[in-house]
Amino acid sequence: MTTINATINTALAKRSQITYGIVLIAVGLFIYLIFGLNTQAGLQTTYGTNLAGSQALPIPDIVVPAQMTVMIMAGIAVFFGALQLARGVRSTGWLIGILAATFVIAFLTWAAQGKSFNLTGMLSSSFVRATPIALAALCGVISERSAVINIGIEGIMLMAAQAAVVAATVTHNLYVGLFAAILIGGLIAALHAFLVIRFKVDQVVSGVAINIFGAGFTAFMSSRFLQKSGDLLNNSGVFPTISIPGLAKIPILGPMLFENNIIIYLMILLVIAMHIMLFYTPWGLRTRAVGEHPKAADTLGVNVYLMRYVNVIIGGIIAGLGGAYFTIGSVGRFDEQMTSGKGFIGLAAMIFGKWNPFGAFTSSLIFGFADSLQVKLQILRVPIPSEFLLMAPYIVTMVILTGVVGRAIPPAADGQPYEK
Amino acid sequence: MTGLLPIDVGQIQLVGEAIRHTSPRDILERGVAHIPEDRQRHGLLLSFPIHDNMMLCTYYQPPFAKGVSLQQKTIFDNAEALVKQYDVRTPNIYVNASTLSGGNQQKVIVAREFSRPIHLLIASQPTRGLDVGSIEYIHTQIIKKRNEGVGVLLVSSELDEILALSDRIAVMYKGRIMDIVDANKVNKEYLGLLMAGIHPSETPKAKSSAAEKVF
Amino acid sequence: MTDKNKLKSKTPEGIGGGSLRDAIRVPALAVLTGLIIGAFAIIISGANVFTAYGALFVGSFGDPVRFFTGFQQLFSTGETAGLLKAIYPFTESLVTATPYIFAGLSVALGFRCGLFNIGAEGQFFIGALCSAFVGYSLIGLPAYIHLPLALLGGAAGGALWGIIPGYLKAKFGAHEVVNTIMMNWIAFKLSDWLLNGPMKASGFRPVTPTVELSAQLPRFFPDPIRLNWGLILAFVVAYALYWFLFKTTLGFEIRSVGANPDAAKYAGMSIVKNLVLVMAMAGGLAGLAGSAQVLGVDHWVGQGFSAGYGFDAIALALLGKSHPFGVVLSALLFGFLRSGATRMQSMAGIPIDIISIIQGMVIVFIAAPEIIRWLYRIKNIKAEETVLTRGWGK
């Protein structure tokens, strides 16, 4: 069997090698034709590095000649594409990175030619916008590591968001709102776990039901109560930005990482904590065992059902935190459908991150970047209709999901109910 | 050989015709029957009635179909006849295949595969998990096909079964065919050593004297 | 032979054994329980349950008193106005049910092949836009050409929207749940652009121009009754889908792939072909839903046109056990419920979203029949056959 597999693998590898090479060259040509030729010679693009109101030490802006930069990017892409076709580059991760980097740099340089464009601001905004996606992804990771698929993250986040803002407004205390969000998240996840583990409801169906119910319930409460009594129920204020002294002074990175509100800091801590928990504690080992081979774990004395319940509920708590971001961490009020599919994008980030906390986090950053990119592009008045830019995160999700999912391997028992 | 995986190297010669690129349907149409290893996952639609399972490979051909339209009466008659012929124990042909016992499920698969003209039968672990009566029945059917001139490729890990049924035996170890031997010239110990990767030509390397005795 | 006939009459195809009465029992109880929970929601929001559900009934079926006076008026003066007003709620319920039938069939077809078509929402919208485009941009065509063309356009648009995630799933194993949801959001943004730009009629509102008369689905009664041929088309399509799924070779393949893709593959069926075909057809059906709504009822498309049809359709398909006839019945039920809920909203102030709450519950109960069994102490309920959760890869 192994020799057969080896031969098939080399055939497939050869085909993917050629594909990557061609794609890289095609992108390089695209950059040249669409961006390069459309960049006026003599214009410069200014990448602003200083953010107003930030504690970071000011440094001079990065100014580049627009057309030359774009051409260089095109050149790099074509070069690596040719290299891939001829010799084959070792790591496809690097190739994807080069592909993305050249395209994005060329795109930004072209879009902002002759103008200035706040790079630090965009990085900071990417990080912030990545937060709900990352939290959704983390919820997915911990749930699916114990082999329970949770599609209902979107619904959980909606309900947590609404609970957070209402609780915070009524008690004039944002932390109560935060607690409410976490509580709701945990409860709904517990319901999902109960349906899926005890009654063996199909996990996808349960998740979709939670989404439908969540959307309907929050819309119901919103029209019935929130819209009429906005000030009493839907006006909570937002968590303040906390700057970490010292670290916030670092230029470019400082504002991005160290000048955020508490939810975002919690997100970073959770990524690290989950990584440690999953891979360095006995608990994490049991969780992963339950996800890969529940039968074996069971015979060794691990309580499969309990592990799954706890993990899904923890995931729900994290998703609740994600929901809180939308209201008390961002705008201070609830609007219907305000999660706009971030729950699902979080799932895509989870898959792209190969079910690892850090991987999910990095993928979320990419999605956050796409999200903040379209806002910036609207400000720059790029000649693309704003609606198409708004589509970008969703198209990116689809592309990534399709390109990666064949190779990303979920926990072996993912999605299968356990029969003792 | 069942068309499920693409051919990397070499080709198949079936009744004198060389086949290189193929699909499961193509292989089936050329007269190959396949009894899969996992009868419940790969051989049957458990949630479908028996009569549907009886025509799983031929549903699109006349007389089961006229163009796109399924001919219910033909399907039912076919199933009734096969159930009787192969002695499948079931209250009727309308119940789901999941209600059958392991042995009877295998009989359905055998009935289905044998009910069309075939040149080659590929049977993978055909009697795994079956009771003695069913095992004997399947063995009889396989021999019958062999006597009709059908080529039979039996894949099995039961040495008794292999020695009882086969004319020639090929032993594989780690993806490699170790040797192809005549069935009446070997015994279980010989096969066992081949299965462990020890070839008679390598006897000097084999440390145990038991190996020397066998070879 | 009598044995066979007896069994056939008791075993509608595709419901998986058991009698018709058993098949209906769980869905009926699920709806009942959903309504009870809905009643709790009504109580929480401070309204009177009887007023609310009373308004629901009148909104769905009509006021019996009005029927009486309407007939009286007809017989005495020959005037139909009163009678028309009396039957208006009933016909409106049928009108509301029409797109549900199509959309429910779309999701049900997907389920039969093991695919979760959450994209019905986006496919609906795209289909509506395509139909509207054919409807308003071609002038001077006779109705017997224009109308089918417009319907076809809608189906094609929806099919395109469905085939993209279908192909991605078939070739790359990308899970259709996330991809169809993404396609929904893309459809919404695309329609935003189209309605504010190329497809915008003159004026301020982001709506398309009105569809030509020659492309409109004819109505049965004079205004204000909106009941039109779309309903008949829906019934015809439902029957056609039934025939396709259970009486043809292609339908057999689709159901086999849905029940057990491994065995189907071993038996020679092409998984890729079937997945793509089903998503295309499902998309086409959802697109037809949009078409029927545009060409039969509104005659123009505006923002928020699809307003939840796709998600309702999921509950429908589950309730109807993914069988075309079950879907028709469930669609009628939901149509009546929704139609009545609008009146419930205006009379008793209950937001129409309560229907979504009821739906979410219904889905859960259908997917977990054991809950119903535990609640109502019934024995012997079989779980759903379709397995939708196959993990994220191939």
Side-chain angles (χ1 to χ4, degrees), chain B residues 88-109:
Chain B
V88 178
R89 302 289 164 84
T90 174
N92 58 63
I93 59 167
Y94 307 104
V95 297
N96 291 347
S98 52
T99 61
L100 296 175
S101 73
N104 284 304
Q105 283 177 348
Q106 195 72 317
K107 283 189 193 170
V108 168
I109 297 178

Side-chain angles (χ1 to χ4, degrees), chain C residues 26-48:
Chain C
V26 169
L29 286 172
V31 173
L32 184 67
T33 321
L35 284 171
I36 294 176
I37 295 184
F40 279 122
I42 295 176
I43 295 177
I44 292 178
S45 59
N48 182 316

Side-chain angles (χ1 to χ4, degrees), chain B residues 18 37 72 101 107 112 120 129 139-140 152 161 187 199 209:
Chain B
E37 204 170 296
Q72 293 287 5
S101 73
K107 283 189 193 170
R112 174 183 80 215
L120 171 66
H139 284 176
T140 320
V152 177
E161 178 175 63
N187 59 14
H199 194 271
S209 57

